[in-house]
Amino acid sequence: MAEITGGFLVPHDPVMFVAPDAPEADKAKKVWDAYETCAQRLADSAASSVIIIGNDHYMLFGTTCLPKYCIATGHVEGPLDQLPGLKKEQVSNHEALAQHIAQQGSDSGFDWAVARSFTTDHAFSIPYKLIVRRAEEISGRSITAIPVYLASAVDPFITKARARQLGEQIRAAVESFDSDEQLFVIGSGGISHWVGVKETGKVNEAFDHQVIDLCCNADIDGLAAYTDEQVLENGGNGAMEIRNFICAMAAANASRGELIEYQPVPEWVTGLGFIELKKG
Amino acid sequence: MAEITGGFLVPHDPVMFVAPDAPEADKAKKVWDAYETCAQRLADSAASSVIIIGNDHYMLFGTTCLPKYCIATGHVEGPLDQLPGLKKEQVSNHEALAQHIAQQGSDSGFDWAVARSFTTDHAFSIPYKLIVRRAEEISGRSITAIPVYLASAVDPFITKARARQLGEQIRAAVESFDSDEQLFVIGSGGISHWVGVKETGKVNEAFDHQVIDLCCNADIDGLAAYTDEQVLENGGNGAMEIRNFICAMAAANASRGELIEYQPVPEWVTGLGFIELKKG
Amino acid sequence: MKRDVLERILWSLSVDRFSKEKYREDPQKFLGRFPLDEEGARMILEFDVKAMQEEGVNPMLTLGYWIEMSPDRRVSSYNRKLGSDSAHSASIKG
Amino acid sequence: MKRDVLERILWSLSVDRFSKEKYREDPQKFLGRFPLDEEGARMILEFDVKAMQEEGVNPMLTLGYWIEMSPDRRVSSYNRKLGSDSAHSASIKG
Ligand SMILES: [Fe+3]
Ligand SMILES: [Fe+3]
């Protein structure tokens, strides 16, 4: 069986790329360094593939078909929304495992929408570049990456309870995959941020710390207990992305999380939290 | 509660519109008349809305997101693939019920992809025009229509077992909808036809009669017992659309079907079967 | 329904190049093919992102539309249009 | 993977007007933005629908591509290209 042996919860903040010098240098450096820490830890692990759980921002999927969750099972490139320092590139997917996750889902009541040829957005591509590609550089080994997209920013949203079940299904599928590969999972998003609304630029440190504590305690129940109204009120529409955290935590089945870094950065309109998911 | 009180299984053969005069006149007339019979029976019923279960033909959904099943919950127009006599028009959807079906599905393990603004293809629009719109004309009353699309022509296909469960979920959702409306359901597709492959033009009457018998006996188990290989071999890639029949039959919970018409029409590259789903 | 159609139009104008071209050529004609009332058309034509959000349109779309299609394109102007006093602004969808 | 990319290209060329325009302007350049080997590119450029189907490409796409983009566009020619002896032909996707 293959196994998910670790993972991270990290942000995917495009403003870092567009306005790298907006915050004070020390703060900015801590955030970039946090990605580097994740990359180093991935490089130090034996993982040969990473499942990145992100969400569309009403760009990849349109009003003619909004999936609750979608997995890329074939060709992958991205991001569609290129940024300075984040250009479109071909992505090395783990097609066999992705197809197995979709198939095992279909057999167990999880009706994955499937992307046979997919273009990612920054939700996948930021952690892919800063963690996966960087870990490849550091370690000199190849690491594939599977894009998973949840409906966390466009309604009808996936429920938090279903995001958790989906994470459990991903784990079961990985463990029934005929290989001895080790995997990491990355929950991409959050924490508090307000996108495209008049509160933009607000960061709610108290909410962010609540979320971080729940993640570090591996308290999925606690995360799932937030109502959407509470999340919207306290964390903004961007914080609906805690669904991605929940799914990744359930997939990793971590017993705890370790805070790598937290920086509230209004200049980057986001409370940026980095957590490593630890097993055992 | 609302209730599904009847329904039909009918083909959606675009060649009828493109080459109406290709078959001999008598045969062609029988087919057009069969649609008229359906329209008349719908008009004679008390149904105020119809759920049409069709499938994409790799036109509406692309390689970047192939849903297992999708429901249009808002604005609807179509078809995208206009034909002589089948021009694009606005469709009057039953938005409240469609949203309820999606929501009730989400609550019970059916993760509907949702089309907030949808363009149909001929799988919806042929029965919509020839049955629903025509029944409006005959009866003078308004009849709304909800598009449901299954993955019956593009792999990864929905399984026949899941198509049945989905039909049961549609029925449960209708019955938990707070209204006294009556509905019809239409399974759109089949029977034997080979599309875009070198066998095009072949019609397998023996297979078609098998399918018709199973439908008339309300034998969903029998339909679901076909392997995909058997369907492809005996009914062609177009016959994979019996999934739409299965879903509609499960939604209608009919105790039997009544054959309205069957015509094997090589000139229209299809074995065309018309069945009314009867309750009680 | 109004929200749905507004979202479809904004989405098309954010990601579909053919739609963008057609809109730039003749906005009224482009909008004419959607079932949109006068007020809805006005919101699009005048980039009234505030009114669209009040109609329920997803803020990711109003922001994307502004950045892609508005004459100004600056997020600071977008924020002003929304009535925001934010000093900071996501320059793209977060 | 080859099948996936072929399907994406055929789908784009069947339904996306911008892609159609770009392909007509410069097919090689259009195809160059996909990770497609020489043989895959040849299949597209020569409308080799038979080879694409042998690669696993969905027949709905090969047919749609032929009708939208081939110089000939007739389904009778499509059938011949497939090696079919059918007298009858779906003129569009059934
Ligand atoms: Fe985001
Ligand atoms: Fe069909």
Side-chain angles (χ1 to χ4, degrees):
Chain A
M1 68 175 230
E3 195 184 357
I4 297 174
T5 56
F8 305 106
L9 308 177
V10 300
H12 58 235
D13 182 350
V15 194
M16 290 179 58
F17 290 80
V18 178
D21 301 325
E24 54 181 81
D26 179 53
K27 251 187 153 175
K29 183 170 185 310
K30 283 184 175 154
V31 173
W32 294 105
D33 283 354
Y35 281 109
E36 183 70 10
T37 300
C38 296
Q40 186 65 57
R41 294 187 188 178
L42 175 59
D44 291 345
S45 80
S48 56
S49 190
V50 179
I51 299 166
I52 301 181
I53 297 163
N55 62 283
D56 180 33
H57 297 80
Y58 228 147
M59 186 162 30
L60 308 180
F61 310 127
T63 46
T64 56
C65 181
L66 297 164
K68 280 282 181 8
Y69 42 88
C70 183
I71 187 166
T73 59
H75 164 244
V76 177
E77 60 176 22
L80 181 65
D81 51 339
Q82 299 185 75
L83 298 168
L86 195 73
K87 292 301 156 195
K88 194 190 277 187
E89 62 175 333
Q90 300 301 313
V91 172
S92 183
N93 186 7
H94 191 330
E95 298 187 14
L97 178 54
Q99 287 162 19
H100 177 75
I101 292 170
Q103 179 61 53
Q104 201 267 1
S106 173
D107 295 341
S108 57
F110 293 87
D111 298 302
W112 286 94
V114 157
R116 173 163 295 140
S117 173
F118 188 59
T119 304
T120 68
D121 75 354
H122 65 276
F124 172 89
S125 293
I126 289 177
Y128 179 66
K129 181 185 170 73
L130 298 182
I131 302 178
V132 180
R133 296 287 282 161
R134 180 70 185 125
E136 288 189 308
E137 268 179 34
I138 297 170
S139 69
R141 72 178 192 279
S142 296
I143 306 176
T144 53
I146 300 175
V148 165
Y149 271 71
L150 311 187
S152 302
V154 181
D155 75 294
F157 302 108
I158 189 170
T159 64
K160 297 177 206 73
R162 192 64 171 165
R164 176 189 206 153
Q165 291 171 359
L166 191 72
E168 292 165 350
Q169 185 262 312
I170 291 171
R171 175 156 48 89
V174 167
E175 294 179 355
S176 67
F177 187 64
D178 186 20
S179 109
D180 57 1
E181 294 166 75
Q182 294 188 15
L183 282 93
F184 266 42
V185 62
I186 294 178
S188 169
I191 309 175
S192 68
H193 58 302
W194 280 256
V195 183
V197 295
K198 71 177 190 324
E199 296 86 349
T200 290
K202 191 169 140 183
V203 172
N204 185 344
E205 293 187 48
F207 175 81
D208 291 343
H209 282 295
Q210 269 183 17
V211 169
I212 288 167
D213 287 348
L214 291 166
C215 294
C216 287
N217 292 324
D219 186 354
I220 299 182
D221 288 335
L223 286 170
Y226 284 118
T227 65
D228 283 350
E229 292 66 34
Q230 289 170 326
V231 173
L232 287 167
E233 172 69 24
N234 296 296
N237 54 341
M240 298 290 269
E241 294 173 347
I242 60 170
R243 288 159 162 78
N244 311 348
F245 290 4
I246 288 173
C247 184
M249 288 165 69
N253 197 24
S255 56
R256 64 189 180 87
E258 179 191 306
L259 183 64
I260 295 171
E261 185 63 74
Y262 171 72
Q263 288 294 328
V265 187
E267 298 84 353
W268 287 344
V269 302
T270 305
L272 301 132
F274 296 76
I275 291 167
E276 181 172 3
L277 301 174
K278 300 275 213 180
K279 315 261 297 188
Chain B
M1 66 176 232
E3 194 185 357
I4 296 174
T5 55
F8 305 105
L9 308 176
V10 300
H12 58 236
D13 182 349
V15 193
M16 289 179 58
F17 290 81
V18 178
D21 301 325
E24 52 181 84
D26 179 54
K27 249 184 157 177
K29 182 170 186 311
K30 281 183 176 153
V31 173
W32 293 106
D33 283 354
Y35 281 110
E36 182 69 10
T37 300
C38 296
Q40 185 67 57
R41 293 187 189 177
L42 175 59
D44 290 346
S45 79
S48 56
S49 191
V50 178
I51 299 167
I52 300 180
I53 297 164
N55 61 282
D56 181 31
H57 297 79
Y58 228 147
M59 187 163 30
L60 307 180
F61 310 127
T63 46
T64 55
C65 181
L66 296 164
K68 281 281 184 3
Y69 43 89
C70 183
I71 187 166
T73 59
H75 165 243
V76 177
E77 60 176 22
L80 182 63
D81 51 340
Q82 299 184 75
L83 298 168
L86 195 73
K87 292 302 156 194
K88 194 190 278 187
E89 62 175 333
Q90 301 299 314
V91 172
S92 182
N93 187 8
H94 191 329
E95 299 187 12
L97 178 55
Q99 288 162 18
H100 177 74
I101 292 170
Q103 179 61 53
Q104 201 267 1
S106 173
D107 295 341
S108 57
F110 293 87
D111 299 302
W112 286 95
V114 157
R116 175 164 294 141
S117 173
F118 189 59
T119 304
T120 68
D121 75 354
H122 65 277
F124 173 88
S125 293
I126 289 178
Y128 179 66
K129 182 185 169 71
L130 298 183
I131 301 177
V132 180
R133 295 286 283 161
R134 180 69 185 125
E136 288 189 309
E137 268 179 33
I138 297 170
S139 69
R141 73 178 191 277
S142 296
I143 305 176
T144 53
I146 300 175
V148 166
Y149 271 71
L150 310 188
S152 303
V154 181
D155 74 292
F157 303 107
I158 188 170
T159 63
K160 297 178 206 71
R162 192 64 170 165
R164 176 189 205 150
Q165 290 171 359
L166 191 72
E168 290 165 352
Q169 186 262 312
I170 291 170
R171 176 158 47 91
V174 167
E175 292 179 356
S176 67
F177 187 63
D178 187 19
S179 108
D180 56 1
E181 294 167 76
Q182 295 188 14
L183 282 93
F184 266 41
V185 61
I186 294 177
S188 169
I191 307 176
S192 69
H193 58 303
W194 279 257
V195 183
V197 294
K198 72 175 186 331
E199 296 87 349
T200 291
K202 193 169 139 184
V203 172
N204 185 344
E205 292 186 50
F207 175 80
D208 291 344
H209 283 295
Q210 268 182 18
V211 169
I212 288 168
D213 286 349
L214 292 166
C215 293
C216 287
N217 292 324
D219 186 354
I220 299 182
D221 288 336
L223 286 170
Y226 283 119
T227 65
D228 282 350
E229 292 66 32
Q230 290 171 326
V231 174
L232 287 167
E233 172 69 23
N234 297 295
N237 55 341
M240 299 290 269
E241 294 172 350
I242 60 169
R243 289 159 161 78
N244 311 348
F245 290 4
I246 289 172
C247 185
M249 286 165 69
N253 197 24
S255 55
R256 63 190 180 87
E258 180 190 305
L259 183 64
I260 295 171
E261 184 62 74
Y262 171 71
Q263 288 295 327
V265 188
E267 297 84 353
W268 288 345
V269 302
T270 306
L272 301 133
F274 296 77
I275 291 167
E276 180 171 3
L277 302 174
K278 299 277 213 178
K279 317 261 298 188
Chain C
M1 156 93 162
K2 186 164 181 175
R3 177 221 167 172
D4 299 334
V5 176
L6 286 170
E7 289 204 347
R8 179 169 193 158
I9 294 168
L10 293 195
W11 179 70
S12 299
L13 293 175
S14 297
V15 304
D16 179 54
R17 294 199 196 179
F18 189 80
S19 296
K20 286 184 211 179
E21 275 177 21
K22 289 291 156 193
Y23 181 82
R24 286 193 177 111
E25 277 169 24
D26 189 339
Q28 299 280 3
K29 188 176 163 200
F30 177 86
L31 295 179
R33 78 165 220 75
F34 297 95
L36 197 64
D37 62 15
E38 213 170 298
E39 171 60 7
R42 185 201 62 75
M43 291 178 196
I44 304 266
L45 291 166
E46 297 180 5
F47 297 89
D48 192 343
V49 291
K50 186 159 185 275
M52 288 191 271
Q53 288 191 7
E54 284 161 3
E55 198 65 50
V57 171
N58 193 307
M60 312 252 167
L61 284 180
T62 53
L63 177 58
Y65 175 59
W66 182 273
I67 292 169
E68 282 293 317
M69 299 297 286
S70 74
D72 178 310
R73 304 184 64 165
R74 276 177 302 177
V75 182
S76 53
S77 314
Y78 172 88
N79 287 340
R80 265 197 307 280
K81 191 100 181 179
L82 273 185
S84 169
D85 53 3
S86 176
H88 309 295
S89 53
S91 47
I92 55 162
K93 303 180 192 183
Chain D
M1 156 94 162
K2 186 163 178 176
R3 177 221 168 173
D4 299 336
V5 176
L6 286 171
E7 290 205 347
R8 182 172 190 156
I9 294 168
L10 294 196
W11 179 71
S12 300
L13 292 175
S14 297
V15 304
D16 180 53
R17 295 199 195 180
F18 189 80
S19 297
K20 286 184 211 180
E21 276 177 20
K22 289 291 157 196
Y23 181 81
R24 288 195 176 111
E25 277 170 23
D26 188 341
Q28 300 280 3
K29 188 176 164 201
F30 178 85
L31 295 179
R33 77 166 220 74
F34 297 96
L36 196 64
D37 63 15
E38 213 169 297
E39 172 59 7
R42 185 201 62 75
M43 291 179 197
I44 305 264
L45 291 165
E46 297 180 5
F47 297 89
D48 192 345
V49 290
K50 187 159 184 275
M52 288 192 270
Q53 287 190 9
E54 283 161 7
E55 199 64 50
V57 171
N58 193 308
M60 312 251 167
L61 284 180
T62 54
L63 177 57
Y65 175 58
W66 182 275
I67 293 170
E68 282 293 317
M69 300 296 287
S70 76
D72 179 309
R73 304 185 66 165
R74 275 176 303 175
V75 182
S76 53
S77 315
Y78 173 87
N79 287 340
R80 267 198 305 280
K81 192 104 182 177
L82 273 184
S84 169
D85 53 3
S86 176
H88 308 296
S89 53
S91 47
I92 56 162
K93 304 180 191 182

